[in-house]
Structure formats: structure tokens, C-alpha cells
Amino acid sequence: MLYELSLLLDINLFGYISVRAGFGFFIAFTLTIFVMPRYLAWAISKNAKQPISKYVPAHEGKQHTPTMGGAIFLVATLIATVISTNLSNPYIIGAIITLVGFGLVGFKDDLGKVMAGDNLEGLSPRGKMGLQILISSLVVGLLIFIGFPTEFYIPFVKTPLFDMGYFAIFFWIFVFLATTNAVNLTDGLDGLATVPSVIALVSLGLIVYVTGHAIFSQYLLIPNIKEVGEVTIIAASLAGGLLGFLWYNCYPAEVFMGDTGSLAIGGFLAYLAILGKSEVLLMLIGIIFVIETISVILQVGSFKLRGKRIFLMAPIHHHFELKKWAENKIIVRFWMISFLANILALISFKFR
């Protein structure tokens, strides 16, 4: 809407991605802040509370906390997207498919859990994975169709290592699946996944913006891909929606995002990493999500191979809970690690 307005009325201000990203951020933030209390009142009246797994450490009162709050910041982000972006841009279409697709998968899973009142209900692992593969394939298929470059880059090297060709399809689907499930695993404490997601969105949003900018990309010796910079606006919008959500999700949380939010966030972070040719760097940008996932892999592998556990409980944030760390201490320390890792990730661009 703002983009079309800039063309119609010849308003140069709305032609700048940075300006429209700012509008998107505040639109999504304001909508989330305004709508969330009304959603909470409705969710409480309908008993749409978060089922807590019996296997995790006890959290007094959390079993009564409303869930599926991710739907609110996702809708706010989509409204901001419609207002602020050029909807004819193919990369914007891919971003919308990612947010809506993964969000709906998460919503279906959350709804099943809420209706059954059991955290183990909802979508089966196979069904959930199948739907994630379907959404990933749709987005990757769009990228291949529009001729998105398939070269493989790694940090500190200014030229691609090789061209993945059609192997990129399988690699990018893997990136989607790994990231969505990693964010989902991290969403276990109040605000634990929210702030690292905001930080990662800022980092990846900057990378995608530079990738789409002819001058900045040349200066930093990174690939220049026309039109991808527009997706920065959605990254800013989602960050705004998440900050609005954090107002209610910070300790002690009044609402949880549920799989509705975590799967959509993970999918969009993967999409940004692919557009910014930063699939490998995503491991540093999303360091908290990586640590949480590795802790689960190590725990399961160790138990199956040796019959022994490495951690008191996995994901690793539950390990620290059982070591009697205060919940807010775990959360803030994980936030700090995320912030430091993202600073290092952005610094790495000056070493190309």
C-alpha cells in the first residue's frame, strides 16, 4: 500500500525500504500490544490454556497460561506486510507463504493439544514433519522457479565454494526443517525464544537488506541479489510484533506463543538465511536454537548408546532448571549469549 502510494503520488519517502521497514515495525508492534489483551480475555474465557508436559520441571500456575499467542503477532505482521511492502515482489510472496504455512501447521498442532488438554496430543510427529516438508517444498520451489541463485557460501570467504544446482532444493528444505524445530524446542521458558528471535531477525534483516543493495553488497563483498531487500520490511514487522508479544510474554508470562508462533518464526528465519546466502552463518546467528537442539540430540544419542544421560534433562534450559537456577536467570543469560553471537556474526562480514 505504501509502496503503491509512493508510485502513484511520487512520494520518494515511501520508496525507501528503510522507511517502510520502520512503518512495518511500529504497525505490527502497535497492533500486537492493542489486540493481545483482548485475545487473552477471550482465551481465558474459552479455557485455551497451555497444556504442560508432565515430564518437565513443575511451573506453578503455568498450566493456566493461555497459548497460541503467536497467532496475534503473526496476523499483525501480515497486516503490516500488506500495508508496507510491494506485494508483487516474488520474495515477498515466498515470505508470506512461509509465515502463513508454518503458522497454520503450528496452529493445528496447538489446537489439538488445547482441545485434548494434553501436551502430547496434537499433530503426530510424522504428520507435523510431513506438513513442514510440504510448506518448505512450496517455498523452495518458488525460489527455483524465479531463478534464485544456488551458489553455496560460507563465512569469511567472499566467493562461493560451489554451485549446489538442484541439490539446493534438498539443502534448503533441510535448513527450513532444522530451524523451525530448533526454535520450537527453545520455546520452553518465558521469553526464552522471543528475544533471540528478535535479535536474529535484526541480524538477518540487515544481511538481506545489504544483499539487495548494489553499493553495500559490493563494499562488503557479498552477493548482490536484486529485489530481496524488500523482505527486510517483513523482518522488521515480525520483530515489532515479537516485541509487542514480549510485553505479555516476559517473566512471568501472561501468554505463550505456542507452535503457532515458534514454527512460523523458525521458518521465516530459515527463509531469511537462504535469501541472504547465510545458511551456515545461521548457526551462529541462532546459537541458542542450535545449543538447545544439540542438547536434545546428545541426550537421546547418549541414552540410546550408553544408557546414560549427559544432562539432567533436555532441552538444556530444563537442565539448568533442575540445577536450581532461577528461571529469569536462565532466560537473561541465554539472551546475552544470543546477543554476543549475533555481534560476532555481523563482524564476520568485515573479514571477507
Side-chain angles (χ1 to χ4, degrees):
M1 187 180 298
L2 290 178
Y3 178 79
E4 287 75 14
L5 192 63
S6 70
L7 297 178
L8 181 64
L9 302 179
D10 195 24
I11 304 175
N12 291 332
L13 182 65
F14 293 151
Y16 293 109
I17 290 174
S18 55
V19 172
R20 288 183 284 124
F23 272 98
F25 175 92
F26 282 107
I27 290 169
F29 175 81
T30 304
L31 285 173
T32 304
I33 286 286
F34 178 76
V35 174
M36 190 63 75
R38 291 150 182 81
Y39 170 76
L40 291 177
W42 175 86
I44 292 171
S45 70
K46 298 298 182 181
N47 203 31
K49 60 186 180 181
Q50 173 69 51
I52 304 296
S53 173
K54 61 183 179 181
Y55 300 107
V56 304
H59 291 278
E60 188 64 33
K62 287 197 175 185
Q63 64 272 23
H64 304 298
T65 305
T67 188
M68 293 189 286
I72 304 304
F73 65 72
L74 281 181
V75 171
T77 299
L78 291 171
I79 292 172
T81 297
V82 171
I83 294 173
S84 305
T85 65
N86 173 14
L87 294 175
S88 65
N89 184 309
Y91 298 111
I92 294 296
I93 295 171
I96 292 173
I97 294 172
T98 300
L99 287 172
V100 173
F102 284 106
L104 288 176
V105 174
F107 181 79
K108 184 173 177 59
D109 192 35
D110 284 334
L111 191 60
K113 294 174 183 176
V114 170
M115 297 293 288
D118 189 340
N119 193 59
L120 298 179
E121 295 296 330
L123 287 170
S124 67
R126 181 176 296 180
K128 192 174 182 178
M129 183 64 70
L131 289 173
Q132 289 175 330
I133 291 174
L134 175 62
I135 302 303
S136 303
S137 300
L138 287 174
V139 178
V140 170
L142 173 64
L143 292 177
I144 296 296
F145 177 76
I146 63 178
F148 187 75
T150 55
E151 289 86 0
F152 181 75
Y153 287 81
I154 61 172
F156 307 110
V157 179
K158 62 184 178 181
T159 56
L161 293 188
F162 53 86
D163 189 335
M164 294 184 288
Y166 286 108
F167 178 74
I169 295 173
F170 305 100
F171 176 62
W172 289 339
I173 289 174
F174 170 76
V175 172
F176 271 112
L177 297 179
T179 311
T180 52
N181 289 290
V183 176
N184 189 225
L185 284 173
T186 306
D187 184 32
L189 298 178
D190 301 350
L192 181 60
T194 307
V195 171
S197 295
V198 172
I199 295 171
L201 284 168
V202 171
S203 296
L204 288 168
L206 287 171
I207 292 170
V208 169
Y209 177 74
V210 171
T211 301
H213 197 288
I215 298 175
F216 291 163
S217 60
Q218 183 180 21
Y219 173 70
L220 291 172
L221 301 176
I222 63 177
N224 175 232
I225 305 172
K226 294 181 179 180
E227 296 188 300
V228 298
E230 190 78 8
V231 182
T232 304
I233 300 168
I234 304 184
S237 300
L238 183 55
L242 277 170
L243 279 180
F245 174 74
L246 183 63
W247 186 270
Y248 304 96
N249 180 238
C250 60
Y251 181 84
E254 300 173 57
V255 63
F256 298 136
M257 69 171 68
D259 287 8
T260 307
S262 61
L263 292 184
I265 292 169
F268 188 65
L269 290 177
Y271 184 67
L272 288 173
I274 292 168
L275 294 189
K277 292 297 177 183
S278 300
E279 299 97 336
V280 176
L281 195 62
L282 180 60
M283 291 190 289
L284 183 58
I285 291 172
I287 187 68
I288 293 300
F289 311 133
V290 173
I291 291 171
E292 295 275 14
T293 303
I294 290 176
S295 72
V296 173
I297 294 172
L298 291 176
Q299 184 86 324
V300 173
S302 177
F303 190 76
K304 286 186 174 181
L305 293 174
R306 306 187 305 144
K308 297 180 180 179
R309 293 179 173 86
I310 298 174
F311 308 103
L312 296 176
M313 183 175 287
I316 198 170
H317 58 261
H318 291 315
H319 169 81
F320 292 115
E321 281 190 287
L322 292 176
K323 288 182 72 70
K324 305 302 180 183
W325 283 27
E327 182 175 349
N328 54 350
K329 177 179 286 190
I330 299 170
I331 294 164
V332 173
R333 286 181 174 176
F334 276 41
W335 290 355
M336 293 169 65
I337 293 170
S338 177
F339 179 77
L340 293 172
N342 276 260
I343 293 296
L344 290 175
L346 293 176
I347 289 175
S348 72
F349 282 91
K350 287 299 294 179
F351 289 90
R352 286 176 179 255

